[in-house]
């Protein structure tokens, strides 16, 4: 996927290509994190939710005729059909770029800034290299949803359904439930728009997970006790707004804390990718952290603390573990409890607080994530990262990869990656 961007802080004009592994390297204050976070916002739910709100309110974005015709047909007849693959061919790139076109209106809130001048940010995306896969993803998706009012909310009198390998999504009413003439047409419109357009986003990435540089602090503090306010913005107890990258990290930890590992392992029995992510979390702990992270048993208030058990058997609270453990803890927890295929991981400075050898191990591990179906975008200051990435790309060209894997720090050929799957960009002042 190619991205062109202008007027983002110190970045006056740039063109990059997102590949399964994308690396931004360079000195401080050159725009690496801003660009990584902006991409996460545009490609993730944050930017799309704001675009959907504008579209539903008819606040600027132009209408899509097949979608508008389906809305009218459901209101008039109670059912409609949209060919999503054809819709994506006709309007997919347009829709994605309309999300990007609104970025300048909400980017300051996303980044948590009142003073940065972002009103002239421009972004354009091209899907030429991923176009075939984009359409295949839509074709292979299964989508279900329902709209209910009052007592019927649990069942839904208006439903949508798209089966795997069927290009069409169907909207239909259920006999015996609330007729459409008793609810506002705007409610039906909301439902169809919210059921259709997000499919385009999920065809690119099923989700975006951001790991900001603030992660070592927030895994040590009980800041995420407090839930976000009604406006969806997480806050410290003093009421300080948080940037969305930090807010998303806190929700990741809360989501994992409330998850059941036994249920996750049951899911893994039928989904090899989930088992692979759980195994990767164990590998990360064993080969880099030299210990095991997990949540404690609930205390008297029901709260579960994150703790770290060393190989020697000692158990430590997060405030006293090494900076490396704090740095990598969210990634371990994410892989064990939450990771799903084709989620884009945006990791700001994964080498932070790591010894040079651990940095090289971490690069091998990141490539293993990519080869397990988790695209990765990282920012870094470390030449160790890029130097060792060159080794991993050269290893992927070797005629007998199994014969050389033991020469690498993790000893796995899954840490080798073809250069065609990698983009590396140098940011300079």
């Amino acid at each position: 996927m190619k991205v062109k961007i202008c007027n983002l802080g110190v970045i006056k004009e740039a063109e990059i290509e997102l590949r399964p592994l994308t690396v931004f390297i360079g000195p401080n204050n050159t725009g690496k994190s801003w660009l990584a976070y902006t991409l996460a916002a545009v490609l993730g739910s944050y930017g799309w939710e704001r675009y959907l709100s504008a579209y539903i309110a008819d606040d600027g974005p132009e209408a899509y005729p097949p979608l508008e015709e389906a809305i009218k047909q459901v209101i008039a007849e109670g059912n409609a059909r949209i060919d999503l693959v054809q819709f994506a061919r006709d309007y997919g790139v347009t829709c994605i770029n309309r999300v990007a076109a609104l970025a300048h209106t909400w980017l300051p809130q996303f980044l948590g800034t009142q003073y940065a001048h972002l009103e002239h940010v421009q972004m354009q995306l091209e899907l030429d290299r991923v176009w075939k896969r984009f359409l295949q993803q839509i074709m292979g998706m299964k989508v279900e949803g329902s709209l209910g009012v009052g007592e019927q909310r649990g069942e839904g009198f208006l439903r949508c359904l798209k089966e795997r390998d069927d290009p069409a999504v169907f909207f239909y009413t259920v006999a015996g439930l609330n007729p459409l003439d008793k609810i506002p047409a705007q409610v039906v419109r909301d439902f169809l728009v919210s059921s259709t357009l997000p499919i385009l986003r999920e065809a690119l990435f099923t989700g975006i997970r951001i790991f900001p540089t603030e992660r070592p602090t927030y895994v040590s503090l009980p800041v995420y006790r407090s839930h976000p306010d009604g406006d969806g913005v997480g806050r410290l107890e003093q009421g300080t707004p948080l940037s969305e990258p930090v807010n998303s990290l806190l929700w990741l930890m809360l989501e994992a804390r409330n998850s059941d590992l036994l249920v996750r392992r049951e899911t893994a029995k039928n989904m090899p990718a989930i088992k692979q992510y759980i195994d990767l979390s164990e590998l990360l702990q064993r080969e880099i952290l030299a210990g095991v992270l997990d949540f404690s048993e609930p205390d008297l208030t029901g709260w579960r603390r994150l703790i770290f058990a060393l190989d020697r058997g000692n158990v430590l609270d997060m405030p006293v573990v090494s900076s490396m453990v704090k740095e990598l803890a969210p990634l371990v927890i994410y892989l064990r409890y939450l990771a799903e295929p084709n989620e884009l991981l945006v990791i700001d400075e994964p080498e932070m607080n790591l010894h040079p050898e651990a940095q090289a191990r971490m690069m091998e591990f990141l490539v293993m994530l990519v080869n397990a179906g988790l695209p990765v975008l990282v920012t870094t200051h470390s030449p160790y990262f890029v130097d060792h990435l060159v080794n991993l790309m050269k290893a992927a060209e070797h005629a007998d990869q199994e014969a050389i894997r033991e020469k690498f720090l993790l000893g796995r050929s899954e840490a080798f990656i073809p250069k065609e799957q990698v983009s590396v960009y140098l940011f300079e002042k």
Side-chain angles (χ1 to χ4, degrees):
M1 180 190 314
K2 187 177 291 184
V3 181
K4 299 178 182 178
I5 191 158
C6 302
N7 305 318
L8 179 65
V10 297
I11 301 175
K12 299 307 177 188
E13 185 175 354
E15 182 176 301
I16 68 164
E17 186 169 333
L18 283 179
R19 294 189 180 180
L21 176 60
T22 305
V23 180
F24 296 164
I25 184 169
N28 296 319
N29 301 320
T30 52
K32 301 184 301 297
S33 296
W34 277 29
L35 180 52
Y37 290 165
T38 300
L39 289 169
V42 169
L43 296 171
S45 59
Y46 191 93
W48 280 75
E49 287 170 2
R50 281 143 188 81
Y51 172 71
L52 292 180
S53 296
Y55 186 93
I56 290 170
D58 196 25
D59 188 15
E62 298 178 9
Y64 303 108
L67 178 55
E68 296 301 322
E69 286 299 317
I71 292 170
K72 294 177 183 178
Q73 186 174 341
V74 167
I75 293 172
E77 303 174 16
N79 62 82
R81 174 186 180 277
I82 300 176
D83 185 327
L84 282 176
V85 173
Q86 188 60 50
F87 185 89
R89 287 195 179 100
D90 294 339
Y91 304 104
V93 175
T94 299
C95 183
I96 292 166
N97 279 299
R98 285 176 178 172
V99 176
L102 291 178
H104 69 95
T105 64
W106 46 254
L107 196 52
Q109 180 184 356
F110 181 88
L111 296 176
T113 177
Q114 299 180 29
Y115 301 106
H117 296 290
L118 299 168
E119 61 272 16
H120 299 300
V121 171
Q122 298 178 14
M123 181 183 291
Q124 184 175 4
L125 295 90
E126 298 177 7
L127 304 185
D128 293 355
R129 289 179 64 98
V130 298
W131 183 247
K132 183 177 180 180
R133 179 182 172 277
F134 175 63
L135 296 179
Q136 288 174 341
Q137 286 287 106
I138 293 175
M139 188 71 176
M141 292 172 70
K142 180 179 177 66
V143 179
E144 293 182 277
S146 63
L147 172 67
V149 176
E151 296 180 356
Q152 278 72 41
R153 186 174 299 278
E155 295 181 270
F157 67 89
L158 176 59
R159 299 179 183 178
C160 75
L161 175 65
K162 180 196 174 299
E163 297 286 4
R164 289 186 178 88
D165 300 323
D166 188 336
V169 58
F170 294 89
F171 297 91
Y172 59 96
T173 52
V174 180
L177 298 181
N178 292 38
L180 290 176
D181 58 7
K182 292 186 178 180
I183 64 170
Q186 184 65 33
V187 175
V188 176
R189 176 181 169 81
D190 290 359
F191 178 67
L192 265 70
V193 171
S194 300
S195 300
T196 303
L197 296 185
I199 293 173
L200 302 177
R201 173 183 63 81
E202 293 174 20
L204 293 174
F205 300 106
T206 54
I208 310 288
R209 299 287 188 171
I210 306 176
F211 298 85
T213 53
E214 293 88 346
R215 56 193 178 274
T217 298
Y218 286 104
V219 297
S220 302
L221 299 175
V223 174
Y224 35 85
R225 281 179 185 270
S226 54
H227 289 255
D229 293 343
D231 59 2
V233 178
R235 302 181 189 279
L236 298 176
E237 294 187 6
Q238 294 83 358
T240 306
L242 302 176
S243 71
E244 186 59 27
V246 172
N247 195 38
S248 67
L249 173 69
L250 302 188
W251 272 106
L252 182 151
M253 297 302 292
L254 270 175
E255 188 180 354
R257 191 183 302 274
N258 295 326
S259 298
D260 189 324
L261 185 57
L262 292 178
V263 174
R264 175 82 163 167
R265 292 191 183 279
E266 281 297 313
T267 302
K269 292 179 180 179
N270 298 316
M271 295 185 63
I274 302 300
K275 182 182 184 303
Q276 190 173 13
Y277 301 149
I278 296 173
D279 292 344
L280 282 168
S281 74
E282 295 172 355
L283 174 69
L284 176 56
Q285 294 174 103
R286 183 173 64 252
E287 298 291 342
I288 300 180
L289 299 186
V292 178
L293 283 156
D294 207 347
F295 294 111
S296 68
E297 292 298 319
D299 60 21
L300 294 177
T301 65
W303 190 250
R304 302 170 65 205
R305 294 181 176 277
L306 190 60
I307 56 176
F308 183 64
L310 297 166
D311 285 348
R312 299 186 295 274
N314 297 327
V315 177
L316 301 175
D317 294 295
M318 292 307 294
V320 295
V321 301
S322 72
S323 56
M324 178 182 70
V325 174
K326 296 174 184 174
E327 143 78 18
L328 297 178
L331 184 57
V332 171
I333 296 302
Y334 160 74
L335 289 169
R336 180 186 296 152
Y337 289 99
L338 304 174
E340 298 285 345
N342 199 39
E343 289 188 317
L344 174 64
L345 310 188
V346 178
I347 310 177
D348 207 356
E349 300 180 29
E351 82 284 1
M352 186 171 54
N353 303 314
L354 271 62
H355 180 275
E357 181 181 315
Q359 292 184 31
R361 287 176 179 267
M362 192 62 196
M363 176 51 77
E364 293 185 22
F365 184 77
L366 292 177
V367 171
M368 292 183 70
L369 294 184
V370 171
N371 288 330
L374 294 172
V376 175
L377 166 61
V378 301
T379 72
T380 181
H381 300 128
S382 174
Y384 296 106
F385 249 45
V386 174
D387 287 349
H388 197 47
L389 178 56
V390 173
N391 296 332
L392 302 177
M393 290 189 290
K394 292 294 292 184
E397 299 174 354
H398 199 276
D400 189 352
Q401 296 179 16
E402 287 301 308
I404 64 170
R405 65 182 176 84
E406 292 298 334
K407 297 180 181 292
F408 289 79
L409 293 164
L410 297 184
R412 288 167 169 79
S413 58
E414 297 93 335
F416 304 159
I417 186 168
K419 62 184 179 182
E420 293 80 12
Q421 295 186 34
V422 179
S423 287
V424 183
Y425 291 93
L426 174 64
F427 286 60
E428 294 182 298
K429 293 184 178 179

